[in-house]
Amino acid sequence: TTYTVTGTGSNGCTNTKTVVVTVNPAPSLTFSPSSPAICIGSTTTLTASGATSYTWSPSTGLSATTGASVSANPSVTTVYSINATGSNGCTGAQSLTLTVNALPTLTLSPSSPAVCNGSSTTLTASGATTYVWSPATNLSATTGSSITANPTTATNYTLTGTNSNGCINIKAFSVAVNSLPTLSINPNSATICLNNSTSLTASGANTYTWSPNTGLNTTTSSSVTANPIATTTYSISGTNANGCVGTTTVTVNVNPLPALSISATPTAICAGFSSNLTVSGATTYTWSPATNLNSTNTSNVTANPSNTTLYTANGTDGNGCVGT
């Protein structure tokens, strides 16, 4: 602005003079980046321009409080005030907001994953937008919120999650590998005669399932009684405290009973006479009753009963099975 002053002396004479008042503008600041944001725990460089000297406040999270460029890493969103002086000596102040974004909070399901040896488990991540899994060993994929893992030994993995703000968090976890139960069956094989039974006992696990159920008194006990009518192989599944399942088999061999043939010569006698009784089809024999027999443990016996008598022959074969 140009001002004019007019002065009048005591004699009534006047004179004029002009003066110019120059108004310099305050510095106009620009910032790079113009809308700064960081992830918590990270650092960014803030650069101001448009003036000659700069003072930053507050000092929270700043590498310096003077200079055109400072490094900033506050733990919360912070509004900084920048006082600047231009080359003309004029001063100005502007504010700049530095946004601090939180890291994603990663959650893994299951939280303590474990598999049985030879099996797999599904791992599901949440809390971020994108995910990266490493190492790739025994993983169905290395990206995505849900993957399948089937390690053969306990393995340490790292889950990296990135949220919509580009902030990254890392979660380390381990997948445990539990061994399968080693099952034992006592006896490890069995042989019975038809219509007889045997006891089978499993060990090495916590719970058991037997199949098929043919000839078994139960299918869910460690000890069962088996009396199949034909040779049968049973499959036993045992589950341990970790839920891992082991299997084994046991065969119950079934031997047939000896088929005996018996004859009496003659089949009818007069009182005081005798008959020759002959049995075959087995290895050893026992006759009953012993009344009026000359022997009770041979294949041929002589009978002279005083009245009509029914004799029974029990024959035992080489397998110890008895026919009648």
Side-chain angles (χ1 to χ4, degrees):
T1 302
T2 300
Y3 293 98
T4 301
V5 58
T6 300
T8 303
S10 57
N11 55 12
C13 297
T14 63
N15 201 359
T16 61
K17 191 172 180 68
T18 60
V19 62
V20 176
V21 178
T22 301
V23 179
N24 292 317
S28 177
L29 303 182
T30 58
F31 298 97
S32 177
S34 58
S35 299
I38 61 171
C39 300
I40 190 169
S42 299
T43 301
T44 188
T45 297
L46 305 176
T47 301
S49 59
T52 305
S53 64
Y54 309 87
T55 301
W56 304 70
S57 65
S59 61
T60 306
L62 295 182
S63 60
T65 57
T66 59
S69 288
V70 297
S71 293
N73 63 345
S75 58
V76 295
T77 296
T78 302
V79 178
Y80 290 105
S81 177
I82 301 90
N83 294 312
T85 302
S87 58
N88 55 16
C90 296
T91 61
Q94 284 184 238
S95 63
L96 179 67
T97 300
L98 175 55
T99 301
V100 178
N101 294 314
L103 304 184
T105 301
L106 299 180
T107 302
L108 181 67
S109 178
S111 57
S112 299
V115 297
C116 298
N117 195 8
S119 299
S120 62
T121 185
T122 297
L123 305 176
T124 301
S126 59
T129 306
T130 62
Y131 306 89
V132 176
W133 309 74
S134 66
T137 307
N138 299 113
L139 297 183
S140 61
T142 56
T143 59
S145 61
S146 186
I147 62 167
T148 300
N150 62 340
T152 55
T153 59
T155 303
N156 295 320
Y157 291 100
T158 298
L159 170 64
T160 302
T162 304
N163 63 16
S164 57
N165 291 317
C167 295
I168 296 173
N169 204 357
I170 297 174
K171 184 179 184 65
F173 65 95
S174 179
V175 177
V177 178
N178 296 318
S179 59
L180 306 184
T182 301
L183 302 183
S184 297
I185 307 297
N186 185 32
N188 56 15
S189 66
T191 300
I192 62 172
C193 300
L194 182 65
N195 299 328
N196 287 1
S197 64
T198 185
S199 179
L200 303 174
T201 301
S203 60
N206 292 63
T207 61
Y208 305 89
T209 302
W210 302 71
S211 66
N213 61 2
T214 307
L216 297 182
N217 67 325
T218 180
T219 59
T220 57
S221 175
S222 60
S223 291
V224 300
T225 299
N227 63 341
I229 60 175
T231 295
T232 303
T233 297
Y234 294 101
S235 176
I236 303 92
S237 296
T239 305
N240 62 16
N242 292 318
C244 298
V245 179
T247 60
T248 190
T249 61
V250 62
T251 298
V252 177
N253 300 290
V254 179
N255 291 320
L257 304 183
L260 302 184
S261 296
I262 195 169
S263 64
T265 307
T267 57
I269 59 172
C270 298
F273 288 81
S274 63
S275 175
N276 185 46
L277 307 180
T278 302
V279 65
S280 62
T283 305
T284 62
Y285 305 92
T286 301
W287 298 79
S288 65
T291 307
N292 300 115
L293 295 181
N294 68 328
S295 173
T296 59
N297 55 13
T298 62
S299 61
N300 291 285
V301 297
T302 299
N304 60 347
S306 57
N307 50 48
T308 297
T309 302
L310 176 66
Y311 289 100
T312 298
N314 291 320
T316 304
D317 62 14
N319 293 317
C321 297
V322 178
T324 303

